[in-house]
Amino acid sequence: MLYLLRPFPLTWGAESLQKLEAFLKRLERVEPYFEGHIQRACFYTLSFGKRIGLSEQELRQLYLATFFHDFGKVRIPPEILKKNGPLTPQEFKIVEAHPSLGAEICLDLGPLEEIAPLVAAHHEKLDGTGYPLGLKAEDIPLLARILAIIEIYDALRSKRCYKPPFSMEKSL
């Protein structure tokens, strides 16, 4: 799956890239929708980011944050991720930790300090009802707000164990 990093390759050593590859394989076992979701989200990121005129540096940060945004799910129990129905409040609390866990994993895997805050904030909402920190409006980094739009759009358009795919019209 490292082929998805071609537009913005990581300049890591072979050992770090092998560690990342092993982590990706582990995540794919935990989250069956992961690879397809990341492929589509990375595609949307490039298209949308160019369309709105992001700088090359912003586009790189957004793209890498998109690639890494769900890494925290590897630390969520598979029975919760694959649950065929609504989550209990306790289960949802566990899922709410994945952005923070993902930011921690980014810092553990390699030099990804610039995207860790974006990964951590990708489920924040403008009205402050998001998670994990309940950030509001301008307190949410712009690139994290863009990532949230892309992530939600793909989730709505995709079939999941708990819902059929939404139409483009309904998703928009």
Side-chain angles (χ1 to χ4, degrees), residues 13-29:
E15 186 177 313
S16 294
L17 289 173
Q18 287 172 344
K19 183 178 169 184
L20 175 58
E21 187 74 56
F23 184 86
L24 286 167
K25 287 179 181 163
R26 192 169 137 219
L27 186 54
E28 287 170 355
R29 286 192 301 272

Side-chain angles (χ1 to χ4, degrees), residues 7-163:
F8 299 100
L10 298 173
T11 55
W12 295 2
E15 186 177 313
S16 294
L17 289 173
Q18 287 172 344
K19 183 178 169 184
L20 175 58
E21 187 74 56
F23 184 86
L24 286 167
K25 287 179 181 163
R26 192 169 137 219
L27 186 54
E28 287 170 355
R29 286 192 301 272
V30 172
E31 175 63 88
Y33 302 101
F34 178 73
E35 184 170 3
H37 171 57
I38 296 301
Q39 285 175 342
R40 292 184 302 275
C42 284
F43 171 78
Y44 298 148
T45 291
L46 281 179
S47 300
F48 189 71
K50 287 177 182 178
R51 174 99 173 152
I52 64 171
L54 293 180
S55 70
E56 188 71 13
Q57 177 62 17
E58 291 170 322
L59 194 55
R60 179 184 174 280
Q61 286 180 301
L62 179 59
Y63 189 88
L64 291 176
T66 301
F67 182 82
F68 286 97
H69 80 275
D70 274 344
F71 274 38
K73 287 185 176 180
V74 79
R75 295 188 181 156
I76 305 297
E79 61 272 10
I80 293 176
L81 290 176
K82 296 175 184 177
K83 186 173 181 181
N84 194 4
L87 299 176
T88 67
Q90 296 84 2
E91 291 168 333
F92 192 72
K93 274 284 185 219
I94 293 168
V95 170
E96 284 182 328
H98 89 268
S100 298
L101 295 170
E104 289 173 16
I105 290 168
C106 284
L107 297 175
D108 290 343
L109 280 175
L112 297 169
E113 296 85 6
E114 66 183 343
I115 67 160
L118 307 177
V119 170
H122 81 273
H123 277 291
E124 299 291 351
K125 294 183 181 177
L126 293 177
D127 64 2
T129 62
Y131 57 87
L133 300 173
L135 299 177
K136 280 185 161 183
E138 301 298 320
D139 293 333
I140 306 167
L142 173 63
L143 297 179
R145 287 183 266 156
I146 295 169
L147 174 54
I149 292 167
I150 290 166
E151 218 261 324
I152 290 167
Y153 177 76
D154 185 65
L156 293 173
R157 292 283 293 143
S158 300
K159 179 183 181 215
R160 298 289 176 96
C161 61
Y162 53 85
K163 72 159 197 67

